[in-house]
């Protein structure tokens, strides 16, 4: 992909570890999260700070890097 972001960034790696840490979650953890998301309904959308279309995926990491207070930056496929 043209312009792919590959810089090493300690803060990004820390956040990535948090994301990968969900692999150690139990089925009950997932059930609890799903139940909570169902409970808050449309408010769950507020957890997503920005969505980039796939055609602009190369802009997602620079955006995240410049806006570290964002909760979740996604690339839509």
């Amino acid at each position: 992909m043209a312009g792919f972001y590959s810089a090493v960034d300690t803060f990004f790696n820390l956040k990535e570890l948090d994301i990968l840490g969900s692999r150690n979650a139990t089925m009950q953890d997932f059930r609890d999260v799903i139940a909570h998301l169902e409970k808050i309904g449309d408010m769950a959308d507020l957890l997503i700070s920005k969505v980039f279309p796939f055609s602009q995926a190369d802009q997602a990491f620079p955006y995240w890097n410049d806006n570290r207070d964002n909760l979740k930056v996604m690339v839509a496929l």
Side-chain angles (χ1 to χ4, degrees):
M1 175 184 347
F4 182 74
Y5 185 82
S6 63
V8 174
D9 182 293
T10 303
F11 188 71
F12 176 79
N13 289 338
L14 289 174
K15 298 226 5 164
E16 183 177 357
L17 289 174
D18 289 342
I19 294 168
L20 294 175
S22 68
R23 291 183 178 182
N24 293 324
T26 66
M27 282 305 295
Q28 188 58 50
D29 293 333
F30 285 106
R31 287 184 194 105
D32 292 344
V33 169
I34 290 167
H36 182 69
L37 291 173
E38 288 173 341
K39 179 180 175 184
I40 64 173
D42 291 340
M43 289 182 58
D45 291 340
L46 299 174
L47 298 172
I48 302 170
S49 303
K50 177 110 173 132
V51 178
F52 287 89
F54 185 72
S55 63
Q56 297 174 1
D58 62 323
Q59 298 174 31
F61 282 116
Y63 176 84
W64 171 82
N65 192 49
D66 294 338
N67 299 278
R68 298 280 179 106
D69 58 334
N70 280 280
L71 184 59
K72 180 83 169 171
V73 176
M74 296 179 58
V75 176
L77 301 178

